[in-house]
Amino acid sequence: LCVMSAKRMSAAFRLPPLPTVGDIIKLFRLKARKQLSQNFLLNLRLTDKIVRQAGNLKNAYVCEVGPGPGGITRSILNADVEQLLLIEKDTRFLPGLQMLSEAAPGKVRVVHGDILTYKMENAFPKHLIKSWEDEPPDVHIIGNLPFSVSTPLIIKWLANVSNKDGPFVYGRTQMTLTFQKEVAERLTATAGSRQRSRLSIMAQHLCAVESRFVIPGEAFVPQPEVDVAVVHFTPLVEPRIQQPFPLVEKVVQSVFQFRRKHCFRGLEILFPESGRLRRTEHLMMTANVDPTLRPFQLTMPQFRSLCDTYRQMCHQDPGLFVYNYREELRQKKAVRRSPGRDGEPEDTEEDSPL
């Protein structure tokens, strides 16, 4: 009897028979909302494949973002996780998720909330915390992200990686997420690729980023106009650019502000108009970066050198980092629109040298 009991305990968890995801959608009269970029994935073979990209989830603690009708949720539970936290903003999906919770007693916690504001640092037990230098903890984030929130959400989480807070207080928490195929290509693009962008640098300097596989649009209900890619993130022990996240983001955003022009043009807007040319030349010469390169041609070491040099310049001039090119531009436009001494406008917007 003891042997039989031990075998039962070691057997993988399986959900009891439940209505299909399609039946749940019909039962609760669920419809994807276009304004929320919602698309349902009903094929359980595909949801199983998404979950397998996260690795071995047996006894792991998982947070699923935007579970919707619960397709991926079922695949996560069948992977025999220890605990599953579901964060869902849309109240229409809560009854169906509660049904799944009751089918897996003690394993599922359903939270009605917005992942952009939810405090992930209190989501799981403290005993899961590992040192940043150790192997990743048994904590995972999985989600079929709505297109409308995917980019701001991954930027938020990358900032958390940099600061080692939020979901990353537990250590190097891994993420397995879906994105529009075009966004996934930007996340993984290498130097020289036309898809190289701000997302490429911000993600790759903090994480190992891998695009695992592509899901055709027709697999979703309703069918989006684009295909979807599954991307896996593992935070790096040491970031490739060892500077504060806001500073890296400011430099990278500036470089890609004029992505079709030479990188010199974007870096100019890091500096006030007074002394702009001199400071930009100093930045590029000190960083040893060719000013005629296009933004997408810059390598990670070149971005690191630019960020390190800009940090030194900010240290020498503490007011430099708070300088905002767009704010200076707005002020110049306001001056040009104001009447001159003779009652006529002093200048026109078209005349602005900027």
Side-chain angles (χ1 to χ4, degrees):
L1 286 174
C2 290
V3 172
M4 292 175 63
S5 175
K7 285 183 178 179
R8 281 198 296 269
M9 289 178 66
S10 63
F13 171 83
R14 284 286 162 185
L15 284 168
L18 288 167
T20 66
V21 180
D23 290 338
I24 292 289
I25 290 172
K26 292 177 184 176
L27 178 64
F28 295 105
R29 298 179 179 179
L30 301 174
K31 289 185 178 180
R33 288 181 174 169
K34 188 174 182 180
Q35 64 269 33
L36 297 179
S37 308
Q38 292 175 339
N39 302 96
F40 303 150
L41 188 57
L42 309 185
N43 187 324
L44 293 185
R45 284 183 297 179
L46 283 174
T47 59
D48 286 346
K49 188 176 180 180
I50 290 173
V51 172
R52 284 198 298 271
Q53 307 313 306
N56 183 9
L57 294 183
K58 184 175 175 59
N59 300 325
Y61 289 73
V62 178
C63 171
E64 185 186 356
V65 182
I72 294 178
T73 311
R74 297 178 187 223
S75 295
I76 295 172
L77 287 171
N78 283 330
D80 204 10
V81 299
E82 180 70 22
Q83 190 178 112
L84 175 57
L85 170 64
L86 304 176
I87 302 177
E88 179 54 64
K89 184 178 181 180
D90 194 331
T91 56
R92 298 175 304 144
F93 297 120
L94 298 182
L97 296 175
Q98 193 59 43
M99 183 184 295
L100 281 174
S101 177
E102 292 166 2
K107 281 185 176 286
V108 180
R109 184 156 48 105
V110 181
V111 172
H112 174 224
D114 187 342
I115 189 62
L116 287 169
T117 56
Y118 185 76
K119 302 295 184 184
M120 283 285 290
E121 48 268 77
N122 301 318
F124 297 118
K126 299 300 181 186
H127 71 79
L128 295 170
I129 295 175
K130 284 191 175 184
S131 170
W132 195 260
E133 292 74 24
D134 291 342
E135 289 298 307
D138 290 329
V139 178
H140 295 260
I141 299 173
I142 298 175
N144 175 28
L145 302 181
F147 297 156
S148 60
V149 302
S150 61
T151 299
L153 184 56
I154 194 59
I155 287 293
K156 169 183 165 60
W157 277 336
L158 290 170
N160 290 143
V161 172
S162 180
N163 297 324
K164 300 177 184 175
D165 58 13
F168 306 95
V169 296
Y170 307 98
R172 295 186 296 121
T173 299
Q174 297 177 80
M175 302 183 286
T176 307
L177 307 168
T178 63
F179 296 88
Q180 286 179 260
K181 184 183 175 184
E182 182 182 346
V183 176
E185 288 172 346
R186 292 175 187 168
L187 284 163
T188 57
T190 55
S193 167
R194 292 286 178 176
Q195 281 73 38
R196 187 82 154 170
S197 69
R198 173 181 69 119
L199 273 179
S200 314
I201 309 305
M202 299 311 296
Q204 293 171 33
H205 101 269
L206 290 164
C207 298
V209 189
E210 301 174 80
S211 183
R212 293 294 177 84
F213 71 98
V214 175
I215 306 173
E218 55 262 30
F220 293 87
V221 179
Q223 180 179 336
E225 296 178 359
V226 296
D227 293 336
V228 172
V230 177
V231 183
H232 185 76
F233 301 80
T234 304
L236 299 170
V237 174
E238 292 288 343
R240 293 190 170 98
I241 303 174
Q242 296 191 2
Q243 295 295 348
F245 187 88
L247 184 142
V248 178
E249 188 173 36
K250 183 177 183 182
V251 172
V252 174
Q253 273 187 325
S254 298
V255 170
F256 283 100
Q257 186 71 35
F258 306 98
R259 60 176 297 112
R260 295 185 179 182
K261 298 183 181 295
H262 295 150
C263 62
F264 186 97
R265 180 67 187 90
L267 288 166
E268 280 186 318
I269 66 175
L270 288 170
F271 306 106
E273 186 176 18
S274 174
R276 176 172 290 156
L277 180 61
R278 173 180 53 81
R279 285 179 158 183
T280 307
E281 288 177 342
H282 173 76
L283 170 63
M284 304 214 70
M285 289 179 65
T286 306
N288 194 27
V289 173
D290 182 349
T292 65
L293 290 174
R294 309 288 180 183
F296 66 86
Q297 294 176 308
L298 296 180
T299 64
M300 191 65 73
Q302 287 173 321
F303 273 106
R304 178 174 62 242
S305 186
L306 287 169
C307 290
D308 291 347
T309 304
Y310 181 65
R311 175 70 180 272
Q312 294 170 4
M313 296 175 75
C314 290
H315 181 72
Q316 294 165 359
D317 180 359
L320 184 57
F321 182 71
V322 297
Y323 165 73
N324 186 304
Y325 163 76
R326 293 186 180 277
E327 181 59 34
E328 183 180 58
L329 191 58
R330 278 193 293 269
Q331 291 176 3
K332 287 176 70 68
K333 287 181 178 180
V335 169
R336 281 164 169 73
R337 289 193 183 110
S338 61
R341 293 181 180 177
D342 57 357
E344 295 297 327
E346 292 182 345
D347 205 345
T348 64
E349 188 174 337
E350 289 75 11
D351 291 331
S352 170
L354 292 176

